[in-house]
Amino acid sequence: MIQGHNYQRLLEISKRVNWRIEDIIGPDKPMDFTRPFLPESFARTGELSFLTPAERLKLNQIRGFGYLAMFELVERCILPVIEEHAPSTPDQDPHRTEALANFVTEEMKHIELFVRFRQAFRAGFEVDCGFIGPAEDIGSAIRSHGGLGMALFILGIEWATQQHWLESVEDDEGLDPQFKSLLKHHWMEESQHAKLDAMVFHELATKAGPEKTLAAVDAFLAIGAFIDGGLAQQTQLDLASLEATIGRTLPDADRETFLARQHQAQRWTYLGSALRNQGFLKALGEISPEGRAKIDAVAPAFC
Ligand SMILES: [Fe+2]
Ligand SMILES: [Fe+2]
């Protein structure tokens, strides 16, 4: 047990929370392309004064598509890791395996949710938006950083979804209700996952010892650096999607500004929102204060 969490309780909450995909997206719940999808704190289109309001809306929606594709990719990547951790030994909590198996089932549902939203996006948006890949290669590269570093990565990304939901609540620009519902419902189940992650990370870190746990923080930061390279590529693809949608090529100076500002916006969306999340920092800090200090030192670059 860690921080008052326990497997049985988390399993009970999860069964109570459980929602269905058709409650969130479907023929009777279409995406509204007259509205933004991502909160402005993540999209940061307002920083690009050379775009008209209509062009900024298109960019917001392109970033929304990237969000769907990114979470589908990340969740496909973490699924085998959770499956690997699910078997328990007789000395472990009797509800541990069921709780982690349920976690896997929910993650498979989330992948399907992101797929359904991507299909709805493609049906309603005028151009095909690019996304980095192939997903299998990216997933293998992330998983190659070792079990404990990977466990820390999963802990971070799942806590980040809390920030995504909270900032959609604060956003006053009238987000698409379906996209907002996705962020809300995803967090409702990720909330249990993040606590399960903390418990699994605690188990692994206790076994590994302080030195290897600190090395895992370096592995986690290496995963972050790898993803950051992918985000730079994604920003280029988003620029191409935007230009195709709005039917004009931006002047060189505007393209440069776009790439710099949007790369930073992507950093905050996928990396900074994990590195700054108090739940993530607390879970890590309880096990490795030194590890947490390392995260605190690099976090400003991703905000
Ligand atoms: Fe998920
Ligand atoms: Fe999750």
Side-chain angles (χ1 to χ4, degrees):
M1 197 189 289
I2 179 175
Q3 305 164 324
H5 309 326
N6 76 67
Y7 287 110
Q8 184 178 15
R9 174 97 183 109
L10 290 171
L11 188 58
E12 281 167 8
I13 296 172
S14 165
K15 284 179 177 168
R16 214 167 45 231
V17 162
N18 189 37
W19 42 259
R20 301 172 315 158
I21 290 175
E22 51 271 36
D23 298 332
I24 305 172
I25 187 85
D28 59 330
K29 294 180 177 63
M31 294 174 87
D32 183 352
F33 285 84
T34 67
R35 295 181 184 222
F37 296 159
L38 270 193
E40 171 60 16
S41 54
F42 297 114
R44 297 188 184 174
T45 64
E47 294 179 2
L48 307 175
S49 56
F50 47 83
L51 296 179
T52 67
E55 290 172 341
R56 283 182 215 159
L57 176 64
K58 292 291 180 198
L59 174 59
N60 181 298
Q61 293 172 350
I62 290 166
R63 290 286 313 282
F65 174 80
Y67 186 91
L68 301 169
M70 180 64 82
F71 264 89
E72 185 191 330
L73 183 153
V74 165
E75 301 215 342
R76 284 190 196 281
C77 168
I78 68 177
L79 202 56
V81 180
I82 305 302
E83 275 173 334
E84 195 188 313
H85 290 310
S88 304
T89 53
D91 60 310
Q92 288 182 304
D93 188 293
H95 297 91
R96 183 182 177 282
T97 295
E98 194 186 348
L100 292 177
N102 182 65
F103 179 157
V104 169
T105 305
E106 287 179 347
E107 221 61 285
M108 287 165 72
K109 180 179 70 177
H110 297 174
I111 290 169
E112 181 59 23
L113 177 74
F114 293 120
V115 168
R116 295 276 286 277
F117 265 83
R118 268 203 304 111
Q119 288 168 345
F121 181 93
R122 285 210 162 110
F125 201 73
E126 52 272 48
V127 302
D128 245 347
C129 296
F131 186 70
I132 50 172
E136 297 73 28
D137 294 355
I138 294 174
S140 307
I142 292 173
R143 285 193 298 267
S144 74
H145 286 275
L148 197 50
M150 188 64 199
L152 193 54
F153 168 67
I154 297 172
L155 177 70
I157 198 77
E158 301 214 296
W159 270 114
T161 62
Q162 181 191 45
Q163 203 68 31
H164 300 157
W165 158 237
L166 288 176
E167 293 195 22
S168 80
V169 174
E170 283 169 17
D171 197 295
D172 60 355
E173 291 191 33
L175 299 181
D176 166 44
Q178 259 50 63
F179 210 97
K180 194 165 177 168
S181 169
L182 172 141
L183 297 174
K184 175 184 177 181
H185 286 88
H186 194 212
W187 165 244
M188 280 166 67
E189 292 187 343
E190 291 299 327
S191 171
Q192 281 68 254
H193 296 185
K195 289 167 189 153
L196 291 168
D197 293 333
M199 292 165 82
V200 170
F201 179 69
H202 188 265
E203 285 169 18
L204 296 173
T206 304
K207 215 173 179 180
E211 213 169 295
K212 284 187 180 159
T213 301
L214 203 54
V217 174
D218 289 332
F220 167 77
L221 293 174
I223 293 172
F226 172 75
I227 292 175
D228 190 39
L231 296 178
Q233 289 175 24
Q234 185 58 43
T235 307
Q236 298 264 8
L237 293 172
D238 287 353
L239 174 58
S241 300
L242 179 69
E243 289 181 338
T245 309
I246 64 179
R248 70 181 179 102
T249 303
L250 299 184
D252 285 349
D254 292 351
R255 285 182 133 216
E256 237 175 80
T257 304
F258 179 102
L259 293 174
R261 296 286 175 88
Q262 278 295 293
H263 183 193
Q264 196 62 28
Q266 303 245 21
R267 279 183 176 140
W268 168 240
T269 307
Y270 302 108
L271 300 169
S273 59
L275 301 178
R276 286 283 201 217
N277 182 277
Q278 291 307 310
F280 169 70
L281 292 169
K282 185 167 180 276
L284 173 60
E286 281 177 358
I287 296 164
S288 175
E290 230 179 305
R292 181 190 163 142
K294 273 193 181 200
I295 300 291
D296 285 335
V298 302
F302 297 94
C303 294

